[in-house]
Amino acid sequence: MNADYKECIQACFACLEACNVCFHASLKEDEKMAKCIELDRECAEICSYAVCAMQRSSIFAKQICALCAEICDACGTECKSHDHQHCQDCAEACFRCAEECRKMAA
């Protein structure tokens, strides 16, 4: 595994965890959380895939990280619009992950 990926992998894991927590908690909220739930799943999945790509030094790691950053930004923006603490925590993790992924994609 490329040591340069370490920070991005850690950010992706943190984002994956935060999205899963937000997803689970949002299921217990009303239907206005549907978009949040959908983006939580998309974001958690791409973070997981990005980690795997970086761990195996995939030739597509830069492109995957670029897509991960885009999805993390979308999820972070949606989560930031909700007052729940789990959403705020998720937004913070998403934005940090997006930043680290953009570094990898450069």
Side-chain angles (χ1 to χ4, degrees):
M1 177 182 64
N2 187 331
D4 294 336
Y5 293 147
K6 183 180 179 183
E7 291 293 317
C8 191
I9 288 172
Q10 290 173 341
C12 283
F13 272 132
C15 188
L16 169 67
E17 181 180 7
C19 285
N20 282 333
V21 168
C22 188
F23 170 81
H24 186 269
S26 294
L27 286 173
K28 298 174 184 169
E29 307 293 336
D30 59 40
E31 68 255 4
K32 71 178 181 173
M33 300 300 289
K35 186 173 181 183
C36 184
I37 292 167
E38 178 183 3
L39 286 169
D40 283 337
R41 291 306 328 134
E42 291 286 340
C43 194
E45 294 293 329
I46 192 66
C47 284
S48 177
Y49 189 66
V51 165
C52 291
M54 288 183 280
Q55 287 175 331
R56 67 177 180 272
S57 296
S58 169
I59 61 171
F60 299 106
K62 286 185 179 196
Q63 295 95 323
I64 293 166
C65 285
L67 179 59
C68 188
E70 186 177 339
I71 294 170
C72 284
D73 280 335
C75 187
T77 298
E78 176 63 26
C79 285
K80 190 78 176 160
S81 73
H82 301 287
D83 293 331
H84 309 290
Q85 188 60 50
H86 59 85
C87 287
Q88 295 301 307
D89 293 344
C90 187
E92 183 178 324
C94 286
F95 292 139
R96 180 172 183 278
C97 187
E99 180 181 331
E100 290 298 327
C101 282
R102 277 191 289 278
K103 289 178 189 176
M104 292 296 102

